[in-house]
Amino acid sequence: MRLIISFAALFLSVVLLQLSTGGVGPLDAISGLTLGFSKEQIGLLGSAHFLGFFIGCWWSPRLMGTVGHSRAFAAFTALGAIGLIGHTLTDNPMAWAAMRIASGICVAGCYTVIEAWLNAKVTNENRGRAMGSYRIVDMGASLAAQLIIAVLPPAAYVSYNMLAILCCAALLPLTLTRASQPETPSAPRLRPKLAWRCSPLAVAGVIVAALSSASFRMVGPLYGQEVGLGIDQIAFFLAAFVLGGALAQYPLGWLADKYDRRWVLIWLSVAAILSSGITIGAAGLGTLAVMTSAGLFGFTTFPIFSVSAAHAHDFAKSDERVELSAALMFFFALGAIASPFVASALIENYGPSALFSMIALGHLGLISFGLSRMRARPTPEERTKYVYAPRTSFVIGRLLKRSRKKL
């Protein structure tokens, strides 16, 4: 409890930030449908968010080094609030896409500050508990953010202003804390080739993880609307995905530590293909079946990023871990930028089942690549411990570095 209290300001900022920026994705999709946006335009909004996220991941450590933690956090939060309020000024989808870039920059920038601050304050004795608390807070707030569209009317002035208020409120805990501002760490070098050198399979895994997660979270409301779900039901549909992913972390972590991680990735992809088929089949079986299938889909796809990251770190040196984490985030962002727009175009042309057909095809490719990589080299004798890796910023590797102990 003392540990949680000591990080209360940071954790409260995380909750408010997640409720605000995590809620705008599903709200934009539902609002776009209400305003008559095409499905490709709605998918473009999701892709724009991840483009902003990538820009923010690269820019935020440099801005933080120039102006400090608190000022950088205030700047990124202001940018997010501007993007949210700007939605009320126009109903032009291209303008909304530009505003979603601002929201994506806000997410990456704020998480960079929060995680750099956490890393400076934790010690070896409390790191595990601090990271556990951080994950619970972040995942719980993400779950609540999916539910927020159940109470916010789409395409309404009040809805976007409520999210903007939450975004601005995220400023208060961090900027008013009495805790001293830590020293600013240097920005990690972005070395995509490092990730490919350590594990080509891990690179493919994080791209497929982005394909699954980004397309579902940004285009999932389109699928829900196509299969007849109401707005409140779409909120629970998205939340079931996040809940399924949260429940998968412990059992999949145990499997990833006990067995060859390449086989774990391969069988996860097999399960993801099956869950995609089940989700398609459940569309006509009632609301409960649709919700259950979404939870199963989250259970089978959400851990793929963390298993892939653990596999890559098995081949990395200790002094490469921070830059390797940033490189994996780089590839995740690339996959996340492309997948919402592609998924929405497929739904427009081939119907709602095309979303999960695309995801299943991506996992089929991962299975084939994984089997080929198993013939390329043996699994390392010493492996690192599985760690749930949040997909939040390029500096997350600093927080997780000491957690990746040898098994």
Side-chain angles (χ1 to χ4, degrees):
M1 182 60 68
R2 288 195 300 270
L3 177 69
I4 294 174
I5 292 173
S6 67
F7 292 124
L10 289 173
F11 289 165
L12 183 54
S13 289
V14 168
V15 171
L16 294 170
L17 181 69
Q18 269 284 18
L19 290 175
S20 173
T21 57
V24 70
L27 179 62
D28 263 5
I30 299 299
S31 297
L33 289 170
T34 302
L35 294 172
F37 292 1
S38 70
K39 292 179 175 62
E40 287 94 339
Q41 289 170 335
I42 294 173
L44 180 64
L45 299 181
S47 293
H49 170 85
F50 285 106
L51 175 60
F53 175 80
F54 174 75
I55 295 170
C57 282
W58 178 84
W59 179 38
S60 51
R62 291 153 180 82
L63 180 65
M64 190 169 58
T66 303
V67 302
H69 291 66
S70 295
R71 290 180 177 178
F73 190 85
F76 288 122
T77 307
L79 192 60
I82 290 170
L84 289 166
I85 295 173
H87 280 73
T88 64
L89 304 179
T90 179
D91 58 3
N92 184 290
M94 298 306 296
W96 278 30
M99 296 165 198
R100 286 299 298 278
I101 292 175
S103 298
I105 294 174
C106 168
V107 172
C110 289
Y111 269 105
T112 298
V113 174
I114 288 168
E115 288 167 1
W117 204 313
L118 269 175
N119 184 64
K121 295 299 183 181
V122 297
T123 64
N124 291 338
E125 289 73 23
N126 65 20
R127 182 178 297 271
R129 285 171 291 157
M131 282 303 300
S133 301
Y134 175 54
R135 290 166 186 146
I136 291 171
V137 169
D138 181 58
M139 191 70 75
S142 177
L143 182 64
Q146 308 311 306
L147 297 172
I148 203 168
I149 62 168
V151 296
L152 294 179
Y157 179 88
V158 66
S159 298
Y160 286 99
N161 274 267
M162 283 299 299
L163 294 182
I165 289 171
L166 289 171
C167 189
C168 292
L171 271 169
L172 301 178
L174 198 64
T175 54
L176 296 180
T177 180
R178 294 184 179 182
S180 58
Q181 183 169 287
E183 293 183 6
T184 303
S186 59
R189 290 185 298 167
L190 188 55
R191 298 169 58 194
K193 289 183 179 179
L194 172 63
W196 185 261
R197 176 177 64 79
C198 288
S199 175
L201 178 58
V203 171
V206 299
I207 292 174
V208 172
L211 176 75
S212 304
S213 177
S215 59
F216 185 91
R217 296 184 74 166
M218 295 299 168
V219 187
L222 293 183
Y223 176 87
Q225 187 264 347
E226 289 282 332
V227 299
L229 297 181
I231 293 177
D232 56 336
Q233 294 171 327
I234 291 174
F236 285 101
F237 177 69
L238 297 175
F241 167 78
V242 177
L243 181 60
L247 294 176
Q249 293 305 319
Y250 180 80
L252 266 298
W254 180 82
L255 289 172
D257 284 344
K258 187 173 178 62
Y259 299 103
D260 188 330
R261 283 167 181 165
R262 295 171 297 184
W263 278 119
V264 175
L265 278 174
I266 289 169
W267 284 109
L268 266 176
S269 282
V270 171
I273 292 172
L274 292 174
S275 66
S276 295
I278 290 171
T279 305
I280 293 173
L285 300 179
T287 302
L288 180 60
V290 172
M291 301 300 174
T292 303
S293 67
L296 178 63
F297 180 76
F299 191 94
T300 57
T301 59
F302 211 87
I304 287 178
F305 180 90
S306 296
V307 175
S308 299
H311 181 61
H313 281 277
D314 290 342
F315 298 95
K317 300 176 183 177
S318 179
D319 59 354
E320 294 175 331
R321 301 205 184 283
V322 173
E323 292 177 352
L324 175 58
S325 296
L328 292 172
M329 280 294 302
F330 167 80
F331 284 108
F332 178 84
L334 290 185
I337 290 170
S339 55
F341 180 75
V342 174
S344 63
L346 289 173
I347 291 176
E348 177 72 38
N349 291 287
Y350 301 103
S353 63
L355 167 63
F356 292 99
S357 298
M358 178 194 77
I359 293 171
L361 187 62
H363 283 280
L364 183 62
L366 183 59
I367 291 171
S368 301
F369 190 57
L371 291 172
S372 69
R373 289 303 303 169
M374 291 190 74
R375 295 192 294 269
R377 65 178 175 184
T379 189
E381 294 182 1
E382 288 190 346
R383 296 185 299 161
T384 57
K385 183 178 176 58
Y386 172 88
V387 176
Y388 164 59
R391 292 155 286 189
T392 46
S393 76
F394 280 179
V395 303
I396 188 64
R398 288 197 172 94
L399 271 174
L400 301 179
K401 180 179 179 182
R402 293 184 183 273
S403 300
R404 296 190 184 277
K405 300 176 182 178
K406 295 290 183 178
L407 289 172

